[in-house]
Amino acid sequence: VNNTPQPGLSAVTKAVEDYFNGISTLQANFTQTVTGERTASAGVFSWRRPGQFLWQYQTPVAQKLVSTGSAIYFIDDRQQATQLPMDAGVARLFNAKTLNLSKQGLRATHVKTTSQRLEVDFAVDKKIATGDQTGLASLKLVFDRMPGNRMQLRQIDALDTLSVTTRVEFSNLRENVSLPAKMFAFTPGVYDQRN
């Protein structure tokens, strides 16, 4: 096995970290497809640094995944909440105060660049990212190349430890928009009284 890093992997890693660390908020429409599932999910993703995000699924089922900054909850269509680990799956990209990919257990292994796109494959270091907790086996981030040597997140492919790939494609992505803190508020166990 050739473990020699590709030229530019450290530069690309730094560019990815700079991208995530240089944004205060982000909001985008998303489409999510999962290996073996016929129906795609779609909705709106909102992210506010550090550590607050909301995946608001609108189709086929209204549900959400919210990180309050101290806990992550999945709220299903019946409003039942399940707490998840703070470093579950791709949450590690959005929860760090300052993203350091190697500290998150992600190591760039391959880069593909074109004039329009930058694709970076990451291996997951099991010693750092304890596999049982994260369920993440590998990750691919795809960025659009923008004018002025900028880049913008376009797609995340997350391969889990059961060989299932979840692909999230973003559109209408807006950076540094105003997102109210209450979007990311959730208190489990507090329900409206129903008579």
Side-chain angles (χ1 to χ4, degrees), residues 21 47 49-51 91-100 104:
N21 293 329
W47 175 44
R49 293 185 62 229
R92 64 190 49 246
L93 293 174
F94 302 108
N95 273 335
K97 277 194 171 78
T98 302
L99 181 62
N100 178 315
Q104 294 296 332

Side-chain angles (χ1 to χ4, degrees), residues 39-195:
T39 309
S41 306
V44 177
F45 173 65
S46 305
W47 175 44
R48 186 171 130 161
R49 293 185 62 229
Q52 293 179 312
F53 60 75
L54 174 62
W55 296 89
Q56 185 79 53
Y57 291 83
Q58 296 159 340
T59 60
V61 179
Q63 54 194 17
K64 63 184 177 180
L65 185 66
V66 62
S67 175
T68 63
S70 58
I72 299 177
Y73 300 99
F74 173 73
I75 300 107
D76 68 17
D77 57 334
R78 296 180 310 280
Q79 296 302 303
Q80 294 185 358
T82 306
Q83 188 168 351
L84 302 173
M86 285 296 281
D87 63 350
V90 298
R92 64 190 49 246
L93 293 174
F94 302 108
N95 273 335
K97 277 194 171 78
T98 302
L99 181 62
N100 178 315
L101 291 163
S102 64
K103 282 188 180 165
Q104 294 296 332
L106 297 170
R107 179 177 48 83
T109 57
H110 184 260
V111 178
K112 180 179 169 189
T113 58
T114 67
S115 58
Q116 281 94 34
R117 290 268 166 106
L118 168 68
E119 295 181 14
V120 191
D121 293 317
F122 292 92
V124 176
D125 183 336
K126 293 287 188 276
K127 290 190 290 288
I128 297 172
T130 51
D132 296 344
Q133 282 296 310
T134 68
L136 194 63
S138 68
L139 189 66
K140 176 188 279 190
L141 299 177
V142 180
F143 297 90
D144 282 339
R145 292 178 172 274
M146 309 295 281
N149 205 21
R150 290 180 55 250
M151 54 193 217
Q152 190 172 71
L153 186 62
R154 169 61 55 194
Q155 180 180 313
I156 299 173
D157 289 356
L159 175 70
D160 72 17
T161 48
L162 303 174
S163 299
V164 174
T165 298
T166 300
R167 169 171 288 176
V168 179
E169 296 176 88
F170 297 100
S171 60
N172 303 321
L173 191 138
R174 301 164 305 285
E175 297 169 1
N176 303 316
V177 291
S178 178
L179 298 176
K182 66 178 185 231
M183 280 182 73
F184 309 99
F186 179 77
T187 307
V190 178
Y191 300 102
D192 294 334
Q193 291 295 319
R194 294 198 173 93
N195 297 333

